[in-house]
Amino acid sequence: MCQLRTDISLQGQESRGKGSSSISSDISSSTDHTPTKAPKNVATTEDSDRSTRTLSTPSPGLILPTKSPSLSSPALSINGHESTSPSGSAETVAMVHPQPGTQTRSRQSKGQHYSPIDLLPDHALLQIFSHLPTNQLCCCARVCRRWYNLAWDPRLWSTVRLTGELLHADRALRVLTHRLCQDTPNVCLTLETVVASGCRRLTDRGLHAVAQCCPELRRLEVTGCYNISNEAVFEVVSCCPNLEHLNVSGCSKVTCISLTQEASVQLSPLHGQQISIHYLDMSDCFSLEDQGLRTIASHCPRLTHLYLRRCTRLTDEALRHLALHCPSVRELSLSDCRLVGDFGLREVARLEGCLRYLSVAHCGRITDVGVRYVARYCPRLRYLNARGCEGLTDHGLGHLARSCPKLKSLDVGKCPLVSDSGLEQLALYCQGLRRLSLRACESVTGRGLRAIAANCCDLQLLNVQDCEVSPEALRFVRRHCRRCVIEHTNPGFF
């Protein structure tokens, strides 16, 4: 009998060793079916947790860094709150409701110790899990059977966030989408947001898994994933008809946004080849040219936010097609598009009353002529960034002030021809101004600043760095605009 007990004990130790090694090893499949046994000192909710059980859940090793000793590794920030969205949108947190008839089971056995967290009802644990990042949620699914069932509740998986330069993003997305498709074979109907910004190892294979399994996807951010190509982006926009937010900034291989050839053939002539994207960020897509933007404009007529920063190959001709096919654009950034000039702004002015935000920073070919077109036809403009447009003078600034009285933010830094005369007109007509940057404007003196301070009492930020402004003028601004933050380089003012 003693020999029999010894054999049974050795078999149990071998099974536990296999289970632990499967979690930490590099898993090649999307699920882990290795039996594991709960430790004696770990409190569980169901009696079945004390026996051998088989759980199918992605390994935390697929999402956590390989060298990270804990879940709070600084190299990986997943599902964290962010502010870089230019559109001001926030991550949607799943609303958790208690399941009908869910109750905690009472313990009848004596001599056992249980954790207080086991006394929490299911709806309370779901609420806690809803605040966990993706990697920690996967770890919770491996604690016990009850946590496994709760952690994979579809309401917790509307968003997946992955970051980390060394992360195997392709494998992580493949494993997660496969697991989320178990309740609805081959389709994940709950996942609406995928953020993989900074995952440099992400390739077309990872986006292929998302496109094939997530038809309800609404938001995709793959900033800095330079291995992604047009083929993967085309597949996502073709398979996810509800996609509204797409951020491919820094993806240098992406040159266009369009449908795949198969999707184009399936569309009826009445529907056309339209994509429902409203927000598109293609900043630092250096290969984007006029033909690519022309295709984007013809396929994405619902665009409201378009960011093309540092797309240096774009010219004025591309903007003509943008204004023709995308009349609803509210925010447009052309910063550092050095081939864009006054003719391009003339085409942008066709957006008329819709345009609220315009950035043409460091577009050296823009002068008063282009600004006058925008001021005349876009009276509802709220934000203008013309930093580094050295052809802008007081004359153009006066047109802007008279035609756009609701202007809230203006940046004319490094415009050496802007002087006190232009600031006086700005102060007279744009009294609701809140942010003003005059950095390195050599012709600005205290006279212009006094006019701004006396009329724009709601001013919140004033940048006069590298300007020849006296401390007395800055004190005058501080007295009249008490909530204003003054950025300066004058050692005599403090």
Side-chain angles (χ1 to χ4, degrees):
M1 178 64 71
C2 296
Q3 181 65 27
L4 178 60
R5 291 180 179 176
T6 303
D7 295 340
I8 295 176
S9 176
L10 291 175
Q11 294 176 1
Q13 293 176 1
E14 292 177 359
S15 64
R16 287 194 298 271
K18 293 179 180 179
S20 60
S21 62
S22 65
I23 295 176
S24 59
S25 63
D26 188 13
I27 301 177
S28 60
S29 63
S30 60
T31 55
D32 180 10
H33 298 284
T34 304
T36 58
K37 186 173 181 181
K40 295 182 180 180
N41 59 344
V42 176
T44 60
T45 303
E46 300 184 9
D47 296 337
S48 60
D49 294 337
R50 295 191 296 270
S51 61
T52 304
R53 60 187 180 274
T54 301
L55 300 182
S56 174
T57 183
S59 170
L62 297 178
I63 302 178
L64 287 171
T66 55
K67 296 183 180 181
S68 175
S70 64
L71 294 178
S72 58
S73 172
L76 189 62
S77 176
I78 304 176
N79 273 356
H81 300 285
E82 66 174 10
S83 84
T84 62
S85 172
S87 63
S89 59
E91 176 188 352
T92 302
V93 179
M95 297 301 296
V96 181
H97 305 280
Q99 299 178 357
T102 301
Q103 297 179 355
T104 57
R105 298 184 180 181
S106 59
R107 304 295 200 277
Q108 300 296 334
S109 57
K110 297 181 180 180
Q112 294 182 349
H113 301 282
Y114 301 103
S115 173
I117 198 172
D118 290 330
L119 303 178
L120 292 177
D122 286 352
H123 69 85
L125 282 176
L126 281 173
Q127 186 64 39
I128 295 174
F129 287 172
S130 68
H131 297 283
L132 294 180
T134 302
N135 62 329
Q136 294 186 13
L137 198 56
C138 290
C139 291
C140 289
R142 306 182 73 88
V143 173
C144 64
R145 188 173 300 277
R146 182 193 179 201
W147 280 32
Y148 171 83
N149 293 329
L150 293 176
W152 289 109
D153 189 297
R155 292 170 290 184
L156 301 179
W157 292 94
S158 63
T159 299
V160 168
R161 285 184 177 270
L162 306 172
T163 57
E165 296 183 359
L166 302 180
L167 175 69
H168 293 276
D170 289 346
R171 188 183 304 145
L173 287 175
R174 186 171 63 250
V175 171
L176 288 173
T177 53
H178 179 81
R179 175 57 186 83
L180 294 174
C181 289
Q182 287 188 1
D183 296 333
T184 54
N186 301 325
V187 177
C188 177
L189 299 177
T190 60
L191 188 58
E192 296 182 352
T193 300
V194 173
V195 179
S197 298
C199 297
R200 297 187 176 182
R201 302 180 69 173
L202 178 65
T203 66
D204 291 352
R205 292 189 296 270
L207 289 190
H208 172 75
V210 173
Q212 294 298 317
C213 299
C214 307
E216 298 298 324
L217 190 70
R218 295 181 178 274
R219 183 186 183 107
L220 176 64
E221 297 185 13
V222 288
T223 303
C225 301
Y226 49 76
N227 290 317
I228 293 175
S229 66
N230 284 342
E231 182 180 354
V233 176
F234 289 4
E235 185 178 11
V236 170
V237 299
S238 300
C239 297
C240 305
N242 297 324
L243 187 67
E244 298 178 348
H245 183 113
L246 179 61
N247 188 340
V248 292
S249 58
C251 301
S252 55
K253 294 182 180 180
V254 177
T255 62
C256 185
I257 304 295
S258 180
L259 297 172
T260 60
Q261 185 175 0
E262 294 79 4
S264 300
V265 172
Q266 295 174 3
L267 291 175
S268 63
L270 294 178
H271 185 273
Q273 299 181 7
Q274 294 186 0
I275 302 174
S276 60
I277 293 178
H278 294 171
Y279 178 103
L280 178 60
D281 192 343
M282 295 190 67
S283 301
D284 298 308
C285 292
F286 308 114
S287 301
L288 179 64
E289 298 181 351
D290 290 351
Q291 180 60 39
L293 185 57
R294 185 183 303 121
T295 304
I296 293 172
S298 60
H299 285 79
C300 306
R302 302 179 184 178
L303 276 177
T304 58
H305 297 71
L306 180 60
Y307 303 94
L308 304 171
R309 307 179 187 94
R310 293 172 293 280
C311 294
T312 54
R313 298 186 181 183
L314 294 179
T315 67
D316 296 336
E317 179 65 20
L319 299 180
R320 182 171 66 87
H321 295 277
L322 178 65
L324 180 62
H325 296 286
C326 303
S328 302
V329 173
R330 295 171 56 90
E331 296 191 9
L332 177 62
S333 178
L334 301 169
S335 299
D336 294 283
C337 296
R338 302 183 183 275
L339 299 181
V340 173
D342 293 333
F343 180 78
L345 282 193
R346 178 190 175 190
E347 300 301 322
V348 170
R350 293 185 179 183
L351 298 172
E352 297 183 349
C354 290
L355 193 63
R356 300 289 191 278
Y357 172 107
L358 177 62
S359 177
V360 288
H362 305 291
C363 295
R365 298 188 178 187
I366 290 177
T367 65
D368 291 341
V369 176
V371 174
R372 185 167 64 248
Y373 277 117
V374 172
R376 180 184 302 174
Y377 295 104
C378 303
R380 298 182 180 180
L381 193 67
R382 300 290 190 275
Y383 175 98
L384 177 63
N385 185 354
R387 174 180 295 186
C389 297
E390 298 182 354
L392 181 62
T393 69
D394 293 334
H395 185 65
L397 196 59
H399 278 286
L400 180 68
R402 289 190 295 270
S403 301
C404 303
K406 296 182 179 180
L407 196 65
K408 300 296 182 182
S409 179
L410 177 64
D411 189 342
V412 288
K414 298 184 179 180
C415 295
L417 301 181
V418 172
S419 66
D420 295 335
S421 177
L423 294 184
E424 289 174 346
Q425 296 184 65
L426 188 66
L428 182 61
Y429 295 101
C430 301
Q431 298 184 3
L433 195 66
R434 295 183 179 180
R435 302 173 67 91
L436 177 62
S437 177
L438 303 169
R439 182 171 185 173
C441 290
E442 304 170 354
S443 301
V444 171
T445 66
R447 180 167 63 93
L449 292 187
R450 289 188 176 91
I452 291 290
N455 293 275
C456 304
C457 299
D458 294 331
L459 196 65
Q460 298 176 0
L461 177 64
L462 176 64
N463 188 339
V464 289
Q465 295 178 345
D466 301 319
C467 294
E468 297 296 331
V469 181
S470 64
E472 290 76 14
L474 297 179
R475 294 189 184 97
F476 184 89
V477 173
R478 185 167 59 184
R479 285 197 304 269
H480 287 77
C481 305
R482 297 185 178 276
R483 294 182 297 176
C484 181
V485 176
I486 304 176
E487 298 178 357
H488 64 94
T489 53
N490 193 325
F493 174 74
F494 52 89

